[in-house]
Amino acid sequence: MKRLVVWFPSLAILAIAMANGCDKAPETKIEVAATCDLKATSASAAETMLAGCGAKWIDANVSINQLQAFGTHNSYKVAIPDNELAIIKERNPEAGVTLDYSHRPLAEQLDKGARQLELDPSDDPQGGLYSTPLMRKLLTAKGATPADYDLSMMTKPGIKVIHVADIDYRSHCLLFIDCLKQVKAWSDAHPTHTPILIMINPKSSGISWEGAAKVLPWGKDAFDRMDTEIRSVFPPEQIIEPDDVRGTHATLREAVISGGWPKLGEARGKVIFASDLSPEANKAYAEGHPSLQGRAAFMTTFPDAPEAAYFTMNDPEKQLAEIQERVKQGFLIRTRADADTREARAGTTERREAALASGAQFISTDYMWPDERFGTGYTATLPEGAVARCNPVAMPAGCDLKAE
């Protein structure tokens, strides 16, 4: 609650002063309480009545599915050295182009305004499965020296975070748990941030090159380990879990289409996890957990499934109407403003504009900063550099200020 401090002479002191013939009475500080009108017709109306109340109005009246923010694709990814990229291009020219991007450390992305991050976990319960990437052996065979890179973490048991085993293995956090710790450290230092979606894209296959690592399939045991690692870093009060959204509803889907997502004020400082696999591949995560009861993450599934709450829909141009319809229903959607370095190289923005117009709550990009090599200046962020804004498709009445 804010208070306005008003100064005026106390009546009793003023009377004494007048009786004594004094010219001036001493001043006394009196506090007058002032509160925000959270039932005002709009955020701007609340702000007009009292400075700072616009933000409080949004916190109280806007749910997290009624916002829109940008984030990053494969957020952990570090650039592939030129000599390694050259070998990739020799064997697969297209892959050599699509893998040629990188990201700054997670904290820098969050500082810039990213509110969605993507992690690609590879299961490695015993440790060491990915500790000797094939690419480094291929370089040595060519008489080249691989660039220095500390792979010691790869020998430890636990889920790893790498894009493509053997050829695109550099990461800002090789251990899944270390990625989570980096996000938590940033979150703890910025406790009022808008919620961060951490999208998890488990890997169950590697490359087909001779001598490549055999990537483990991702099943229920791996999902259980994933939840265990998530909860070892984030306490329950810092995660928006399916149980929190479902409440007393029979299913998670029923809760979502009935307005079950929390208001922004309740969600500040929290993270949301979502498993980004096909509905079939995600079945193992829901097994034994009806409507994801007891699970840490949401997951992509079929639109009519009881677990339905979140969808990854990566083509905002082809899927525009479908994304808009699901946003109107109350579902959370993640889409992509760019892919495979195409938009950044050409400087085209049609996909980015479609993503914004789709109403998808989280829009992923590889270019929160431009890649100077391309000379196009392409970037993908919200207009006016906002961190979050009222959703253009699911905008609640009165949400007419920045929702940061």
Side-chain angles (χ1 to χ4, degrees):
M1 179 183 294
K2 292 191 174 183
R3 292 182 178 272
L4 294 179
V5 179
V6 181
W7 292 80
F8 59 89
S10 166
L11 295 178
I13 295 175
L14 180 59
I16 294 171
M18 291 176 64
N20 292 337
C22 296
D23 298 321
K24 185 178 181 182
E27 291 180 325
T28 301
K29 184 169 70 174
I30 305 284
E31 288 190 346
V32 178
T35 59
C36 295
D37 182 4
L38 301 182
K39 295 184 179 180
T41 56
S42 67
S44 59
E47 182 70 17
T48 300
M49 296 176 195
L50 186 63
C53 287
K56 292 178 184 280
W57 187 97
I58 289 174
D59 275 3
N61 292 284
V62 179
S63 300
I64 62 172
N65 64 304
Q66 297 172 319
L67 299 172
Q68 188 174 61
F70 266 85
T72 53
H73 162 250
N74 294 339
S75 313
Y76 55 87
K77 189 177 178 319
V78 176
I80 302 172
D82 289 342
N83 58 355
E84 297 187 16
L85 198 60
I87 292 178
I88 296 172
K89 289 180 178 178
E90 286 175 8
R91 300 194 176 205
N92 189 330
E94 183 179 352
V97 172
T98 61
L99 295 176
D100 189 16
Y101 66 94
S102 62
H103 288 291
R104 301 188 188 189
L106 300 184
E108 283 192 45
Q109 297 174 47
L110 293 165
D111 283 340
K112 179 72 171 177
R115 291 299 177 267
Q116 174 258 308
L117 301 173
E118 180 180 357
L119 303 177
D120 290 356
S122 293
D123 194 24
D124 188 16
Q126 304 303 318
L129 187 57
Y130 311 106
S131 59
T132 55
L134 175 62
M135 179 58 75
R136 300 179 77 81
K137 299 175 185 176
L138 295 176
L139 279 175
T140 301
K142 284 178 171 283
T145 302
D148 286 341
Y149 186 64
D150 184 5
L151 287 161
S152 60
M153 289 292 180
M154 295 292 235
T155 63
K156 295 186 176 183
I159 298 169
K160 308 301 188 296
V161 175
I162 49 179
H163 187 217
V164 183
D166 288 301
I167 62 171
D168 193 5
Y169 54 87
R170 287 173 171 79
S171 173
H172 287 300
C173 40
L174 286 171
L175 297 181
F176 180 63
I177 202 164
D178 284 345
C179 296
L180 301 180
K181 287 177 179 178
Q182 289 180 23
V183 177
K184 186 177 189 303
W186 188 91
S187 178
D188 289 346
H190 303 80
T192 62
H193 66 77
T194 52
I196 300 165
L197 172 66
I198 301 178
M199 198 184 78
I200 299 170
N201 182 215
K203 298 295 185 181
S204 292
S205 62
I207 58 174
S208 58
W209 299 4
E210 184 179 352
K214 302 301 180 185
V215 177
L216 297 177
W218 197 274
K220 188 175 185 301
D221 289 346
F223 277 127
D224 289 345
R225 287 192 287 274
M226 180 187 82
D227 272 11
T228 297
E229 292 199 10
I230 288 173
R231 290 193 167 118
S232 74
V233 175
F234 287 96
E237 62 270 17
Q238 209 167 355
I239 310 174
I240 299 172
E241 298 186 7
D243 287 346
D244 300 323
V245 175
R246 189 180 58 257
T248 59
H249 290 274
T251 67
L252 182 57
R253 185 184 190 279
E254 179 184 302
V256 165
I257 64 175
S258 301
W261 294 107
K263 295 290 191 285
L264 177 56
E266 304 169 53
R268 286 192 179 276
K270 297 185 179 183
V271 295
I272 310 166
F273 290 92
S275 176
D276 171 35
L277 289 174
S278 69
E280 293 83 2
N282 267 331
K283 280 183 179 178
Y285 190 64
E287 184 182 337
H289 299 269
S291 278
L292 299 179
Q293 183 177 355
R295 281 301 197 185
F298 298 88
M299 70 179 206
T300 286
T301 184
F302 298 104
D304 58 351
E307 298 84 16
Y310 163 87
F311 298 95
T312 297
M313 303 176 71
N314 283 332
D315 194 333
E317 292 179 288
K318 292 182 179 179
Q319 297 176 293
L320 180 63
E322 191 177 3
I323 293 173
Q324 290 176 334
E325 179 58 29
R326 291 190 188 179
V327 168
K328 290 175 183 176
Q329 289 177 296
F331 296 110
L332 284 187
I333 310 291
R334 179 266 199 175
T335 195
R336 293 182 66 178
D338 42 75
D340 301 328
T341 77
R342 290 191 300 265
E343 286 75 18
R345 292 177 187 273
T348 55
T349 59
E350 290 83 1
R351 181 175 181 148
R352 182 187 71 193
E353 297 312 307
L356 286 163
S358 74
Q361 293 88 352
F362 298 98
I363 303 172
S364 182
T365 180
D366 287 318
Y367 301 98
M368 295 199 79
W369 291 269
D371 190 324
E372 303 299 340
R373 299 174 301 167
F374 302 151
T376 64
Y378 175 85
T379 60
T381 56
L382 285 178
E384 300 180 3
V387 171
R389 71 172 183 174
C390 302
N391 192 295
V393 172
M395 185 182 299
C399 190
D400 56 3
L401 295 177
K402 285 185 178 181
E404 299 181 3

PDB file of all heavy atoms in Angstrom, residues 378-402:
ATOM      1  N   TYR A 378      18.447  -8.033 -38.515  1.00  0.00           N
ATOM      2  CA  TYR A 378      17.244  -8.729 -38.047  1.00  0.00           C
ATOM      3  C   TYR A 378      17.305  -9.023 -36.552  1.00  0.00           C
ATOM      4  O   TYR A 378      18.293  -9.567 -36.043  1.00  0.00           O
ATOM      5  CB  TYR A 378      17.059 -10.053 -38.798  1.00  0.00           C
ATOM      6  CG  TYR A 378      15.891 -10.861 -38.269  1.00  0.00           C
ATOM      7  CD1 TYR A 378      14.599 -10.633 -38.727  1.00  0.00           C
ATOM      8  CD2 TYR A 378      16.074 -11.828 -37.281  1.00  0.00           C
ATOM      9  CE1 TYR A 378      13.523 -11.351 -38.228  1.00  0.00           C
ATOM     10  CE2 TYR A 378      15.009 -12.561 -36.776  1.00  0.00           C
ATOM     11  CZ  TYR A 378      13.736 -12.313 -37.255  1.00  0.00           C
ATOM     12  OH  TYR A 378      12.675 -13.024 -36.745  1.00  0.00           O
ATOM     13  N   THR A 379      16.240  -8.672 -35.847  1.00  0.00           N
ATOM     14  CA  THR A 379      16.053  -9.051 -34.451  1.00  0.00           C
ATOM     15  C   THR A 379      14.574  -9.360 -34.233  1.00  0.00           C
ATOM     16  O   THR A 379      13.728  -9.032 -35.074  1.00  0.00           O
ATOM     17  CB  THR A 379      16.468  -7.936 -33.462  1.00  0.00           C
ATOM     18  OG1 THR A 379      15.663  -6.773 -33.714  1.00  0.00           O
ATOM     19  CG2 THR A 379      17.938  -7.591 -33.589  1.00  0.00           C
ATOM     20  N   ALA A 380      14.259  -9.965 -33.109  1.00  0.00           N
ATOM     21  CA  ALA A 380      12.868 -10.260 -32.778  1.00  0.00           C
ATOM     22  C   ALA A 380      12.638  -9.966 -31.300  1.00  0.00           C
ATOM     23  O   ALA A 380      13.129 -10.686 -30.429  1.00  0.00           O
ATOM     24  CB  ALA A 380      12.540 -11.711 -33.092  1.00  0.00           C
ATOM     25  N   THR A 381      11.927  -8.884 -31.056  1.00  0.00           N
ATOM     26  CA  THR A 381      11.556  -8.491 -29.698  1.00  0.00           C
ATOM     27  C   THR A 381      10.174  -7.848 -29.759  1.00  0.00           C
ATOM     28  O   THR A 381       9.638  -7.605 -30.846  1.00  0.00           O
ATOM     29  CB  THR A 381      12.551  -7.469 -29.096  1.00  0.00           C
ATOM     30  OG1 THR A 381      12.632  -6.328 -29.973  1.00  0.00           O
ATOM     31  CG2 THR A 381      13.939  -8.077 -28.940  1.00  0.00           C
ATOM     32  N   LEU A 382       9.603  -7.568 -28.621  1.00  0.00           N
ATOM     33  CA  LEU A 382       8.319  -6.882 -28.590  1.00  0.00           C
ATOM     34  C   LEU A 382       8.483  -5.421 -29.008  1.00  0.00           C
ATOM     35  O   LEU A 382       9.563  -4.841 -28.840  1.00  0.00           O
ATOM     36  CB  LEU A 382       7.714  -6.935 -27.186  1.00  0.00           C
ATOM     37  CG  LEU A 382       7.102  -8.263 -26.731  1.00  0.00           C
ATOM     38  CD1 LEU A 382       6.602  -8.135 -25.304  1.00  0.00           C
ATOM     39  CD2 LEU A 382       5.970  -8.710 -27.650  1.00  0.00           C
ATOM     40  N   PRO A 383       7.421  -4.815 -29.533  1.00  0.00           N
ATOM     41  CA  PRO A 383       7.489  -3.393 -29.872  1.00  0.00           C
ATOM     42  C   PRO A 383       7.889  -2.550 -28.666  1.00  0.00           C
ATOM     43  O   PRO A 383       7.531  -2.862 -27.527  1.00  0.00           O
ATOM     44  CB  PRO A 383       6.055  -3.081 -30.321  1.00  0.00           C
ATOM     45  CG  PRO A 383       5.516  -4.391 -30.802  1.00  0.00           C
ATOM     46  CD  PRO A 383       6.135  -5.426 -29.905  1.00  0.00           C
ATOM     47  N   GLU A 384       8.643  -1.513 -28.930  1.00  0.00           N
ATOM     48  CA  GLU A 384       9.088  -0.565 -27.911  1.00  0.00           C
ATOM     49  C   GLU A 384       9.971  -1.215 -26.851  1.00  0.00           C
ATOM     50  O   GLU A 384      10.129  -0.684 -25.756  1.00  0.00           O
ATOM     51  CB  GLU A 384       7.891   0.133 -27.255  1.00  0.00           C
ATOM     52  CG  GLU A 384       7.024   0.910 -28.229  1.00  0.00           C
ATOM     53  CD  GLU A 384       5.853   1.584 -27.548  1.00  0.00           C
ATOM     54  OE1 GLU A 384       5.731   1.497 -26.309  1.00  0.00           O
ATOM     55  OE2 GLU A 384       5.040   2.195 -28.272  1.00  0.00           O
ATOM     56  N   GLY A 385      10.530  -2.377 -27.158  1.00  0.00           N
ATOM     57  CA  GLY A 385      11.433  -3.025 -26.223  1.00  0.00           C
ATOM     58  C   GLY A 385      10.775  -3.537 -24.953  1.00  0.00           C
ATOM     59  O   GLY A 385      11.448  -3.766 -23.947  1.00  0.00           O
ATOM     60  N   ALA A 386       9.463  -3.738 -24.990  1.00  0.00           N
ATOM     61  CA  ALA A 386       8.754  -4.214 -23.802  1.00  0.00           C
ATOM     62  C   ALA A 386       9.182  -5.636 -23.453  1.00  0.00           C
ATOM     63  O   ALA A 386       9.540  -6.424 -24.324  1.00  0.00           O
ATOM     64  CB  ALA A 386       7.247  -4.165 -24.027  1.00  0.00           C
ATOM     65  N   VAL A 387       9.148  -5.955 -22.173  1.00  0.00           N
ATOM     66  CA  VAL A 387       9.421  -7.321 -21.724  1.00  0.00           C
ATOM     67  C   VAL A 387       8.174  -8.181 -21.893  1.00  0.00           C
ATOM     68  O   VAL A 387       8.248  -9.346 -22.284  1.00  0.00           O
ATOM     69  CB  VAL A 387       9.895  -7.327 -20.261  1.00  0.00           C
ATOM     70  CG1 VAL A 387       9.977  -8.746 -19.714  1.00  0.00           C
ATOM     71  CG2 VAL A 387      11.250  -6.640 -20.149  1.00  0.00           C
ATOM     72  N   ALA A 388       7.025  -7.624 -21.602  1.00  0.00           N
ATOM     73  CA  ALA A 388       5.748  -8.320 -21.777  1.00  0.00           C
ATOM     74  C   ALA A 388       4.695  -7.283 -22.134  1.00  0.00           C
ATOM     75  O   ALA A 388       4.829  -6.105 -21.805  1.00  0.00           O
ATOM     76  CB  ALA A 388       5.357  -9.072 -20.504  1.00  0.00           C
ATOM     77  N   ARG A 389       3.665  -7.751 -22.819  1.00  0.00           N
ATOM     78  CA  ARG A 389       2.580  -6.835 -23.174  1.00  0.00           C
ATOM     79  C   ARG A 389       1.250  -7.564 -23.090  1.00  0.00           C
ATOM     80  O   ARG A 389       1.193  -8.810 -23.032  1.00  0.00           O
ATOM     81  CB  ARG A 389       2.778  -6.282 -24.584  1.00  0.00           C
ATOM     82  CG  ARG A 389       2.557  -7.292 -25.704  1.00  0.00           C
ATOM     83  CD  ARG A 389       2.583  -6.606 -27.052  1.00  0.00           C
ATOM     84  NE  ARG A 389       2.311  -7.542 -28.145  1.00  0.00           N
ATOM     85  CZ  ARG A 389       2.166  -7.167 -29.419  1.00  0.00           C
ATOM     86  NH1 ARG A 389       2.284  -5.897 -29.751  1.00  0.00           N
ATOM     87  NH2 ARG A 389       1.910  -8.066 -30.355  1.00  0.00           N
ATOM     88  N   CYS A 390       0.170  -6.803 -23.099  1.00  0.00           N
ATOM     89  CA  CYS A 390      -1.156  -7.394 -23.116  1.00  0.00           C
ATOM     90  C   CYS A 390      -1.321  -8.168 -24.425  1.00  0.00           C
ATOM     91  O   CYS A 390      -0.952  -7.685 -25.495  1.00  0.00           O
ATOM     92  CB  CYS A 390      -2.219  -6.310 -23.009  1.00  0.00           C
ATOM     93  SG  CYS A 390      -2.067  -5.292 -21.519  1.00  0.00           S
ATOM     94  N   ASN A 391      -1.863  -9.354 -24.339  1.00  0.00           N
ATOM     95  CA  ASN A 391      -1.952 -10.239 -25.491  1.00  0.00           C
ATOM     96  C   ASN A 391      -2.904  -9.661 -26.546  1.00  0.00           C
ATOM     97  O   ASN A 391      -4.044  -9.331 -26.230  1.00  0.00           O
ATOM     98  CB  ASN A 391      -2.444 -11.613 -25.039  1.00  0.00           C
ATOM     99  CG  ASN A 391      -2.292 -12.659 -26.103  1.00  0.00           C
ATOM    100  OD1 ASN A 391      -2.915 -12.605 -27.147  1.00  0.00           O
ATOM    101  ND2 ASN A 391      -1.438 -13.637 -25.829  1.00  0.00           N
ATOM    102  N   PRO A 392      -2.464  -9.555 -27.806  1.00  0.00           N
ATOM    103  CA  PRO A 392      -3.311  -8.947 -28.834  1.00  0.00           C
ATOM    104  C   PRO A 392      -4.546  -9.767 -29.184  1.00  0.00           C
ATOM    105  O   PRO A 392      -5.505  -9.239 -29.737  1.00  0.00           O
ATOM    106  CB  PRO A 392      -2.366  -8.826 -30.040  1.00  0.00           C
ATOM    107  CG  PRO A 392      -1.336  -9.883 -29.828  1.00  0.00           C
ATOM    108  CD  PRO A 392      -1.147  -9.946 -28.339  1.00  0.00           C
ATOM    109  N   VAL A 393      -4.557 -11.055 -28.873  1.00  0.00           N
ATOM    110  CA  VAL A 393      -5.699 -11.913 -29.174  1.00  0.00           C
ATOM    111  C   VAL A 393      -6.556 -12.149 -27.939  1.00  0.00           C
ATOM    112  O   VAL A 393      -7.783 -12.217 -28.025  1.00  0.00           O
ATOM    113  CB  VAL A 393      -5.218 -13.258 -29.763  1.00  0.00           C
ATOM    114  CG1 VAL A 393      -6.371 -14.253 -29.900  1.00  0.00           C
ATOM    115  CG2 VAL A 393      -4.543 -13.030 -31.120  1.00  0.00           C
ATOM    116  N   ALA A 394      -5.939 -12.266 -26.787  1.00  0.00           N
ATOM    117  CA  ALA A 394      -6.666 -12.551 -25.539  1.00  0.00           C
ATOM    118  C   ALA A 394      -6.555 -11.375 -24.567  1.00  0.00           C
ATOM    119  O   ALA A 394      -6.447 -11.567 -23.362  1.00  0.00           O
ATOM    120  CB  ALA A 394      -6.133 -13.817 -24.894  1.00  0.00           C
ATOM    121  N   MET A 395      -6.580 -10.157 -25.103  1.00  0.00           N
ATOM    122  CA  MET A 395      -6.401  -8.975 -24.241  1.00  0.00           C
ATOM    123  C   MET A 395      -7.647  -8.741 -23.401  1.00  0.00           C
ATOM    124  O   MET A 395      -8.738  -8.554 -23.916  1.00  0.00           O
ATOM    125  CB  MET A 395      -6.118  -7.745 -25.099  1.00  0.00           C
ATOM    126  CG  MET A 395      -5.808  -6.500 -24.278  1.00  0.00           C
ATOM    127  SD  MET A 395      -5.531  -5.031 -25.314  1.00  0.00           S
ATOM    128  CE  MET A 395      -4.124  -5.536 -26.276  1.00  0.00           C
ATOM    129  N   PRO A 396      -7.490  -8.715 -22.081  1.00  0.00           N
ATOM    130  CA  PRO A 396      -8.658  -8.416 -21.231  1.00  0.00           C
ATOM    131  C   PRO A 396      -9.010  -6.942 -21.321  1.00  0.00           C
ATOM    132  O   PRO A 396      -8.155  -6.091 -21.573  1.00  0.00           O
ATOM    133  CB  PRO A 396      -8.156  -8.783 -19.825  1.00  0.00           C
ATOM    134  CG  PRO A 396      -6.690  -8.603 -19.901  1.00  0.00           C
ATOM    135  CD  PRO A 396      -6.279  -8.980 -21.294  1.00  0.00           C
ATOM    136  N   ALA A 397     -10.275  -6.631 -21.150  1.00  0.00           N
ATOM    137  CA  ALA A 397     -10.718  -5.237 -21.174  1.00  0.00           C
ATOM    138  C   ALA A 397      -9.951  -4.426 -20.132  1.00  0.00           C
ATOM    139  O   ALA A 397      -9.788  -4.865 -18.993  1.00  0.00           O
ATOM    140  CB  ALA A 397     -12.224  -5.153 -20.906  1.00  0.00           C
ATOM    141  N   GLY A 398      -9.463  -3.280 -20.552  1.00  0.00           N
ATOM    142  CA  GLY A 398      -8.790  -2.384 -19.616  1.00  0.00           C
ATOM    143  C   GLY A 398      -7.291  -2.561 -19.542  1.00  0.00           C
ATOM    144  O   GLY A 398      -6.620  -1.783 -18.873  1.00  0.00           O
ATOM    145  N   CYS A 399      -6.735  -3.575 -20.212  1.00  0.00           N
ATOM    146  CA  CYS A 399      -5.290  -3.799 -20.183  1.00  0.00           C
ATOM    147  C   CYS A 399      -4.633  -2.895 -21.221  1.00  0.00           C
ATOM    148  O   CYS A 399      -4.323  -3.336 -22.336  1.00  0.00           O
ATOM    149  CB  CYS A 399      -4.975  -5.262 -20.440  1.00  0.00           C
ATOM    150  SG  CYS A 399      -3.234  -5.701 -20.139  1.00  0.00           S
ATOM    151  N   ASP A 400      -4.437  -1.644 -20.885  1.00  0.00           N
ATOM    152  CA  ASP A 400      -3.966  -0.664 -21.861  1.00  0.00           C
ATOM    153  C   ASP A 400      -2.635  -0.031 -21.506  1.00  0.00           C
ATOM    154  O   ASP A 400      -2.269   1.027 -22.017  1.00  0.00           O
ATOM    155  CB  ASP A 400      -5.028   0.435 -22.051  1.00  0.00           C
ATOM    156  CG  ASP A 400      -5.429   1.121 -20.755  1.00  0.00           C
ATOM    157  OD1 ASP A 400      -4.854   0.785 -19.701  1.00  0.00           O
ATOM    158  OD2 ASP A 400      -6.324   1.986 -20.811  1.00  0.00           O
ATOM    159  N   LEU A 401      -1.874  -0.686 -20.615  1.00  0.00           N
ATOM    160  CA  LEU A 401      -0.524  -0.238 -20.284  1.00  0.00           C
ATOM    161  C   LEU A 401       0.431  -1.422 -20.432  1.00  0.00           C
ATOM    162  O   LEU A 401       0.002  -2.560 -20.569  1.00  0.00           O
ATOM    163  CB  LEU A 401      -0.456   0.311 -18.843  1.00  0.00           C
ATOM    164  CG  LEU A 401      -1.256   1.588 -18.540  1.00  0.00           C
ATOM    165  CD1 LEU A 401      -1.117   1.917 -17.064  1.00  0.00           C
ATOM    166  CD2 LEU A 401      -0.781   2.748 -19.395  1.00  0.00           C
ATOM    167  N   LYS A 402       1.725  -1.171 -20.403  1.00  0.00           N
ATOM    168  CA  LYS A 402       2.697  -2.257 -20.437  1.00  0.00           C
ATOM    169  C   LYS A 402       2.470  -3.201 -19.256  1.00  0.00           C
ATOM    170  O   LYS A 402       2.186  -2.762 -18.157  1.00  0.00           O
ATOM    171  CB  LYS A 402       4.133  -1.718 -20.393  1.00  0.00           C
ATOM    172  CG  LYS A 402       4.610  -1.106 -21.694  1.00  0.00           C
ATOM    173  CD  LYS A 402       6.082  -0.716 -21.590  1.00  0.00           C
ATOM    174  CE  LYS A 402       6.581  -0.141 -22.895  1.00  0.00           C
ATOM    175  NZ  LYS A 402       8.019   0.231 -22.834  1.00  0.00           N
TER     176      LYS A 402
END
